[in-house]
Amino acid sequence: AWENLSVFERAHRAGKLMDKEKCVGANKAEIDEATKAEVQRALDRYEAGDRFTEGWLIAKAATWPSGSDLNRVRVVGCPGSFVDHRIDVKNFMRALELELGTRDWMILRRVCGENYPVAETITDITPAYRASTLARFREALDALVEAIPRAQQRIRERK
């Protein structure tokens, strides 16, 4: 069947955002607790990655999306003018880039934003992780989870 899922969404559906090696314990109760914690981390990774993808798409969208209120445009001139929500998203994405490490930003930009395959992206950006590409992708998503609140704080301080 035909699917229109991004690489990131396919990784989520396949359970690759969850580190199964962390779901261990001495008894069933510990295993269940570790599994619940890792499932929550995977959901946090997905939410952060989805937010990144949405922001990337808005920031890179057509200049005049349908439903734009041209009376609220802050910049004069065409093409290249932005509507308010795009300005806010671009500011957030810039703050996010400042909060993330360079390699984490490049990984997230390529996989979540530009839909590159995970393995190809990781081996291009961090060749040392050639044998553990999914682990490195999860690390970048964990960094994103931590960077989002800091980026929001940075934007609040600027206003």
Side-chain angles (χ1 to χ4, degrees):
W2 183 82
E3 286 184 353
N4 194 18
L5 296 176
S6 69
V7 170
F8 173 67
E9 290 168 325
R10 284 195 303 267
H12 170 66
R13 286 199 177 178
K16 294 178 180 177
L17 301 185
M18 189 171 106
D19 188 355
K20 293 157 189 78
E21 293 177 3
K22 292 186 178 179
C23 301
V24 295
N27 55 41
K28 184 173 178 4
E30 286 181 12
I31 293 171
D32 288 346
E33 190 64 33
T35 301
K36 284 180 187 177
E38 187 56 29
V39 166
Q40 185 57 50
R41 277 192 294 275
L43 291 173
D44 291 343
R45 291 173 185 137
Y46 177 73
E47 288 176 20
D50 191 49
R51 186 167 180 184
F52 184 95
T53 301
E54 182 180 342
W56 184 267
L57 293 174
I58 289 172
K60 301 296 179 185
T63 303
W64 299 110
S66 62
S68 295
D69 182 0
L70 301 181
N71 294 323
R72 298 189 62 200
V73 175
R74 293 184 187 169
V75 181
V76 179
C78 243
S81 300
F82 297 113
V83 290
D84 290 347
H85 74 281
R86 286 192 60 210
I87 291 172
D88 296 339
V89 169
K90 282 199 174 259
N91 288 336
F92 175 73
M93 295 300 278
R94 282 188 202 109
L96 198 55
E97 183 177 3
L98 293 172
E99 293 297 330
L100 285 167
T102 303
R103 289 188 176 133
D104 290 335
W105 171 260
M106 290 185 336
I107 289 168
L108 293 167
R109 187 196 76 209
R110 285 185 68 179
V111 176
C112 297
E114 299 171 355
N115 208 27
Y116 278 79
V118 174
E120 176 186 328
T121 298
I122 301 300
T123 54
D124 287 350
I125 295 170
T126 52
Y129 283 85
R130 185 176 307 276
S132 56
T133 57
L134 286 174
R136 180 63 182 99
F137 182 53
R138 285 191 295 266
E139 286 176 10
L141 287 170
D142 288 339
L144 178 63
V145 168
E146 295 171 6
I148 286 175
R150 293 192 312 260
Q152 290 170 332
Q153 180 64 31
R154 182 183 287 261
I155 294 215
R156 280 193 296 271
E157 289 171 358
R158 243 191 273 166
K159 288 184 179 181

